[in-house]
Every structure is written in structure tokens, then in C-alpha cells.
Amino acid sequence: MTAARMTSGRALGARSEGLRRDGLRRDGAWPWLFVMPLLTGVTVFYLYPIVATLWMSLTKTGEFGRGSRFVGPANYETLVTDPKLLGALGNTLTFTGIVLLGVPISVLLAALISRPGLRFAKVYRVLYFMPYVAMPVAVAIVWKMIFNGEYGILNYALRSMGVANPPYWLSTPGVALIAVSILGLWSSIGFNMIIISAGLKSIPVELYEAADLDGASPTRQFFSITVPLLTPSIFFLSVMTGIGGFQLFDTIFVLISPMSPAMPSTKSLVYLFYQEAFVNGNRGYGAAIAVFVMALIGLVTIIQFRLQRRWVTYV
Amino acid sequence: MKAPFSRILTAALVAFGIALGGCAASPSASSAPAGALAKDTKAELNYAIWAEAQRPFIEKNIADFNKTYPNIKVTVAVTPYKQYFAKLKTQAEASNLPDVFWMNGPNIQLFAGNDQLADLGGINVDWKNFPTALVDLYSNGGKHYGIPKDFDTIALWYNKLLFADAGVALPTDDWTWDDFNKAAREIATKLKSQGVYGIAADLTGGQESFYSTIFQAGGYVIDKGKSGYDQPASIEGLKFWSDLIKDGAMPSVQVMADTAPTAMFSSGKTAMIYSGTWQTPAYAKDYPTPADLNLVQLPKGKHEGTVIHGLANVFAKTSKNLDAAKAFAEFLGSKQAAMTEGAAGTTLPAFNGTQDTFLNAYPNWNLKAYTDSAKNSSFPYPVSQNTNAWANLEAELLSPGFAGAQPMDTAAKTMADKMNTLLAAEPK
């Protein structure tokens, strides 16, 4: 079905290309009027802020945004020499890397859940999807209690299993980033599984029947049929997860106290941006960080799209 | 795959595009004398504060204010302190400040100096009713910008039950650092098996911890535009805390980053804590048997001393209902409003002669420790033109010193260097 959708999509695209050329001449301003509501929103809330941010990154702003003056690339020069940038970049990449592990895990879980004849399949689906619909900040507050080094349930469990000195998850450098990543991974599974489950449903049953006749084991079927036919969904998820990973902010903001010794080794790029732009009031410098992150996401996404030709199977 | 990509890209762009359409404020409100305001004036005022615990008495004050001005609707919005000023600054940039809001010492010069606050000259408030130090704190260039709301000092709270458990004599107003250190260590040693510490304190900022000990050791945080963090006496005041942590009398920085010291005190996990006046209602509410808690003045080092500070209500220059706001200001500056605040047991009202209402609200507790130390041995909260620029660094830069990951001298020196750079950049 994926294949069918792809080809028909291409055909449709080609046809509408022709239609659009005629349409412009015939319909005049009408189509524009209809897209106006959306276009206005996009311009006001998407395009204008992007342009404003680009401009702001070239200025030095005074208190309360007064007396901004143009400073050229000075903010970017400060940024590349800022020792905090490299750390934040590393932390962000580590987090994104760990959360990407959620994609294969979701494939495995989705495949298990969609096995025919599994009892309570719907219950599992709801359970796994729950974190996705819960408020991220509320979720983070609950995890903060779980991770509490002295009184948290996690360390309580570890102690009762005989671990003498379980780590202070949120205040030990190195460990805190793992704790944040675990939360990120856990909350990504729900969305991932919905996408993967949809992908699974579109794999023709005949392929499995044929494989059965040929004597392929379930494992073999999984790796030779399921995984290759899921690659478009997997690709979509890895792009989305990559983009989400670079935007890491809210969980750190809630989980890690500013006095936590782990803060310097957990701080993400967006956290750095928040600190500069909103806490310290350096709007210009903050804007430069935002532009840097945007460029980085663009770059990574382009690379992903280049690489997909090598491994994504469109049947 | 075309559609998803464009969606992804827009999503990414939007997440990072920040709209800060900040155009300069154009004050539209006239400044007629507020006393002349008609009683049936219709207006809406937004009132921003940062302490949920104080909402009840504020709602009562608003109700009383509405007896005179029934059609001025005041809406209270609470933002936690950690985000409060970041939010206000953003609102100020968009000329969208709340009409009335709380202000503190570290931020007043920034807001007043940058023309964000309404000049309260000409309103019907007698400034002599408030402590001069507070009126001066909220004035700039001879103009009044704030109605002093309360004042606060720091005291040593203790838990009688835990002292009894450990068999240690209760603290007194005459305690020295030595007495305190001995007791804190003894309790921590004896009650270790119950997970009880001798002392906890908020080290994310200095107000409820190291500002006072730095002063008591003979040091200072800021003087004549220079940082005092690298002074030997100041470092001694900081070491007061790192030594307590090192000896196990105080929870490690890690433990306190996970669990707030005030929460540890209200759940009986620490026998003592340094706390400001404003924590009083929380302890009354959160500790199961409040009569088992009490407080004394801070133990003294080379000097006796507590940092003193106070909040004020200020008014946005850009307010669309400035006249109504000024009428509300007059009410907030009245004795009646201060009495309500004190009687609610929230904090010490700033209006002279109304403090007894607060002291009487908790007959079990020696709250006079707060007022006595204010009278005898208080020193002002350290501020500069842009206090938060350097004060926000304290948590991050001093924390390795408290945690023992770095010698305190090094951490303090780093702090002093960064602070001096920032101070040098401030407008003179």
C-alpha cells in the first residue's frame, strides 16, 4: 500500500503541476484569497519571527530591547569562541543519539504488539501512547520525584536490591544527561509506535504467507520483510527525532536545578539560548544561538535526506 | 515524502524563531491626581506576584479596595520567582507589563533606570510611614517608584524534637558560630541513622545563607562597584558552608539540588535551617506540629548580622489604567492594607507600627528574632544597577566550592572576576 500511495502521489503531483499553470491564468486572485488565512498565520508567526531573529542576531540589544545597535557578525564571533558552546553541542548530540535508540525499540515493540492474536493489544497500545499525550512538564515533575537521589523510588528500589550507593541521578555530572535522555527516550516511544504500527498495517499479508510457504522463520520474516518495508516510517521517525532532540529544553529546565553540579555537563543548546536571551537579557546573542541551532537542524536534516537513498526502500 | 519535509522544516523554524516585536513604549495614560478618581471608575488591573502563599491576604485587600472602587477589577497572577523577572523583562520589551507588580531590591534600579515604572509623586501616600531605607531603595533620582510592601530578615529556625532526640541544648539568640557548628555536627552524627542532618540552607542564592555569613565574617559582596568575593573574610563566610557540608553536618549540594532545604526542614530531615521571614506561613502549614518549631537570631561570627531586604509594589508606566492603578497604590500604601498583610501571618508589613500584627499571628513562635535583628544588626541586601547579571552566576560558580569539587578560594576568585567584568560594563 505504501508503494501504491507513492506512485499515485507522484502521478497526482505531475498532473496538478499542469493544472496549476492553467489555473493561475483562469482563477486570478481567488485561490490566493482561499489560502490567505493560512498564509497570514504563516507570515506573522513563522516568517516574520525568522527574519526578525536573523536581524536580531546581528545586533546588540540594550535592556528591555532598547537602543539596539548593529554589530555585524560580532555575536557569531563570540559564539564560536564561547567555551560553553562546545559543551552544549556535545550534550545535545549525546541526548539526540540516545533518544534515536527509541526508533529501533519502537519497531520491536510495535511488531510484538501487532502480532495476531495477542491479548490486550489495545491496552498495551494505550499504555505506550500515554506519555505522548501527557503534558511534558507534568511528566518531568513526576520523573524528578522518581530520580530524587535521597528519597526517589528508583534509588529506593536500587538500595533494596543491594546497590549501596546508587547515583544521584539529577546532580551527578554525566549521569544527569543519561537521566534526561532516558526520560526523552521513554516519552518518544508512544509517538514512534503509532507511526510504526501504521507502517506495519500497510505491509501486505501475502508477503508473510509466501514467506511461510518458503519456510522462513518469524525472525527471518521480521528482518527480511518487516524491517525493509518499514524503512520509510523509520526514516520519517529518525528525521523527526533528530529535530526534536536538538530542541531539548523543557526536561532539563524542570529536572535539573540551576545549582546542580551536573548542570554544566547537561545544558543543551536551547537551554544556553534561554539563559542568554531571557535570563541574562542578551537578546542579540540569544538570537545568534537560535540561528546556529536552526542551521544545524537544517544541515542534519539535509544529510539525512541525502543518505536515505541508500537505505530506505520504497516498494 | 515532500509534504512531511516541508512540515518538518516549518516546525523546526518556528521552534526557533522568536518573535520579540518590541517597540518603544508610548505612555498614553494621563497623570491626573489619583485622589480625584471617580468612585464608579471602571477599569481592569493585572497584578503580578511570585508567592502563592500570599494570595489569600492580597485577595482580601482587593476586596477591601473594591468597597471604595467597586468597578476596578484586579486580577492576581502568580509566576514562580525563578521565572518571574525573566517574564517581566520580556513583557516590558513588548510594552505589556502588568499594571501592578512586585519588585525587589536586585531589580528596582534596572526597571526604574530604564523608564519602565510610573512615578508615584503626587499620590496620597505619606512616605514617612515606611522605613526610610526601604523608601530610598525604591526611589531613583528623587522620584518614588514603589510602595514598600514588607521587609524581611533571616533567622535560624530549629526543630525542638530533633534537638531532644540528639540530646543537644536548644539554640539561643546569643549563639556564636562555634556553638552553632558544634550543635549541627553533633546532631548530624547522632541522628545519622534516621537520615537527619544538622543544618540545611538554600545555597542557590545568598540571601538565606552566605550573604549573612560573609557579612558576619567581616567581608562584603559588593562595595563601591567592586566585587568582594575574593576578600579573605568573604571566603571565610563561604567556607562556613562548605565546611558544614564536608563534615556531613549539612546535606551535600547534590542532595539539596534534588530536595529543597525548606522541604527537608518541614519534613523533619534537618534540625536547623536559615530562613527568611516569608517562609513563616509555609512552616506553619507544612510541618505537622508547628509548636515544635521555633526560631532565634542568626549565630554571630566576628560580627552580628542579617541581610535585610523588602519588597515593594510598583506600577507600570505603560499601564492603560494608570489612574486606577494609582488609586490602588494609595490603598496598598494604607495602614489598613498593611494590617491585613500582617494579620494574615504572611510576612512583616513595611508600614511602621503594624509589625505586631504579624508577630501576634503565631503566638508559639519567637518571631521577634526577625524584628530584633532588623533593628540591631542588619545590613542591606547587596545590589548594583544590574544585580541579576552577576547574582545569577552565584549558583553555578560557587556551587563547585560548596560541593568541595574546587577549593573555595578558586571558586570565589572566579566569581569575583566574572562579577567585576559585569560590574564594569554597567552604565555608570
Side-chain angles (χ1 to χ4, degrees), chain A residues 46 50 53 63-64 66 148-151 168 171-172 240 243 247 253 259 279 283 293-294 305 314, chain B residues 1 5 8 10 13-16 18 83 92-93 114 197 204 254-255 258-259 264 269 386 392 396 399:
Chain A
Y46 291 39
I50 293 169
T53 305
E63 290 300 340
F64 303 108
R66 295 145 146 245
N148 186 308
E150 195 96 332
Y151 313 109
Y168 278 80
S171 44
T172 310
M240 292 302 279
I243 289 171
Q247 301 178 24
F253 185 71
M259 88 177 294
V279 179
R283 306 281 198 236
V293 176
M294 187 174 89
F305 268 85
Y314 298 110
Chain B
M1 291 308 265
F5 178 64
I8 290 159
T10 9
L13 296 180
V14 103
F16 291 96
I18 343 133
Q83 289 99 53
E93 209 163 320
N114 286 293
Y197 294 92
T204 55
Q254 291 188 331
V255 174
D258 272 6
T259 313
M264 298 187 78
K269 288 291 172 195
N386 192 355
N392 284 336
E396 190 177 326
S399 148

Side-chain angles (χ1 to χ4, degrees), chain B residues 274-291:
Chain B
Y274 274 39
S275 279
T277 322
W278 63 91
Q279 304 283 11
T280 311
Y283 295 150
K285 192 168 108 291
D286 297 344
Y287 193 76
T289 51

Side-chain angles (χ1 to χ4, degrees), chain B residues 6 16 43 49 73 104 132 151 156 170 174 180 188 225 283 310 341 353 423:
Chain B
S6 61
F16 291 96
I49 66 172
K73 188 171 181 293
N104 64 4
T132 324
F151 71 85
L156 177 70
L170 295 178
D174 309 320
F180 166 81
Y283 295 150
E341 176 170 19
L423 288 173

